[in-house]
Amino acid sequence: MALACISQLKLARMSIPAVVFYRPASTGSAAGHKRTKKRPKSRPKKTEFAGIDGVEWRPLRVKAARPDVDPSVFYDGLVSKFVNQMMISGQKQMSREIVSKALHLIKRKQLEVYDKAKEEDKANVEVDPRAVFHQAVENCKPVMGFGSIKRGGKIYLVPIPFPDARRRYFASDWLIDTARDQSHKQKMEIRLSNELLAAYNHEGKALQKKLDFQKLAYNNRAFAHYRWW
């Protein structure tokens, strides 16, 4: 009977899975447990390069270029801003094509003027369309502007000087608006080229808008002191 009980206990022990308890690793200085030292972080060594004539130099960090800047020699920041300002409903490709065709027409017209001019007058004819474009925008930039300021319950138009970016915006806006307001029987690139050439020669409706804008600022010169209030 006793042997039968012992054999049953052995079989029961064999069927029960063994449970193993793990002791957590202590961080203290207990016996048998050594505190591990943290390894110092390895710093990268400063690399030095031998330059010209044995003079040591180190590479400098260079700031990355903006995404709107192009390393091409044909890139023009003013033309790119003009394209973005003329764009409607995100159709940038169409706006870029219109501006490029307008510059091409300006080139052809200026070459015709250059061929018909006398020898002593050919030096005064500008053939580069980008130079014509830059001068046309520069001629349409307003010298002074005005802003609305409320004083004593009244709104006054106070003349204020504009930064260059604001002046460029007004000039481009007037050129685009006057080109769009012309007869729609002609294509947009033809109208834009005519307006750019007129502004280059100090003529056209865009230049008249600039003069009217400056005249309004000049007429309100009596309220200029409100700008510092």
Side-chain angles (χ1 to χ4, degrees):
M1 184 66 181
L3 292 172
C5 292
I6 292 171
S7 61
Q8 289 178 1
L9 286 173
K10 287 181 178 181
L11 290 172
R13 286 179 182 177
M14 290 174 65
S15 62
I16 297 174
V19 180
V20 181
F21 295 95
Y22 294 94
R23 182 178 179 182
S26 62
T27 56
S29 60
H33 297 278
K34 295 182 179 180
R35 181 178 293 176
T36 57
K37 294 182 179 180
K38 293 183 178 180
R39 294 182 180 180
K41 295 181 179 180
S42 59
R43 296 180 179 177
K45 297 181 179 179
K46 295 181 179 179
T47 56
E48 296 181 356
F49 302 91
I52 303 173
D53 298 333
V55 179
E56 296 181 353
W57 59 275
R58 297 176 181 176
L60 300 176
R61 295 181 179 178
V62 180
K63 188 177 180 180
R66 301 194 309 272
D68 58 335
V69 177
D70 198 330
S72 175
V73 294
F74 301 102
Y75 173 76
D76 195 329
L78 184 60
V79 175
S80 179
K81 291 177 182 178
F82 191 86
V83 168
N84 293 337
Q85 191 168 344
M86 195 176 65
M87 178 177 56
I88 297 177
S89 301
Q91 298 179 355
K92 190 171 184 177
Q93 184 64 27
M94 183 182 294
S95 178
R96 188 184 290 113
E97 289 178 0
I98 291 172
V99 174
S100 62
K101 289 179 181 179
L103 294 177
H104 181 69
L105 290 173
I106 291 173
K107 177 80 172 180
R108 292 179 60 182
K109 292 177 182 179
Q110 291 298 99
L111 283 175
E112 292 176 359
V113 175
Y114 181 84
D115 293 337
K116 294 178 181 179
K118 298 179 180 180
E119 291 296 332
E120 57 271 13
D121 297 335
K122 285 186 177 181
N124 300 327
V125 179
E126 183 60 57
V127 182
D128 187 8
R130 293 184 183 273
V132 174
F133 175 81
H134 279 261
Q135 189 60 40
V137 174
E138 188 66 29
N139 292 342
C140 292
K141 285 183 178 180
V143 179
M144 289 288 293
F146 56 86
S148 58
I149 296 178
K150 189 174 182 180
R151 292 289 180 271
K154 294 183 180 180
I155 297 177
Y156 299 95
L157 295 179
V158 179
I160 54 175
F162 281 162
D164 189 65
R166 187 71 173 168
R167 295 170 61 225
R168 176 197 56 78
Y169 171 79
F170 274 105
S172 302
D173 193 45
W174 291 332
L175 287 169
I176 294 168
D177 288 345
T178 51
R180 285 175 179 163
D181 292 340
Q182 292 180 14
S183 176
H184 291 273
K185 294 180 180 180
Q186 294 178 336
K187 293 184 178 180
M188 181 62 186
E189 52 265 22
I190 299 176
R191 289 178 278 162
L192 183 61
S193 63
N194 294 335
E195 196 60 41
L196 287 172
L197 285 173
Y200 173 75
N201 296 320
H202 298 276
E203 300 172 354
K205 295 182 180 180
L207 200 70
Q208 187 62 38
K209 285 187 176 183
K210 167 200 168 181
L211 297 176
D212 295 341
F213 188 80
Q214 291 186 156
K215 186 177 180 180
L216 186 59
Y218 180 77
N219 293 337
N220 291 277
R221 62 188 183 278
F223 308 121
H225 61 284
Y226 286 138
R227 177 168 165 256
W228 289 277
W229 279 26

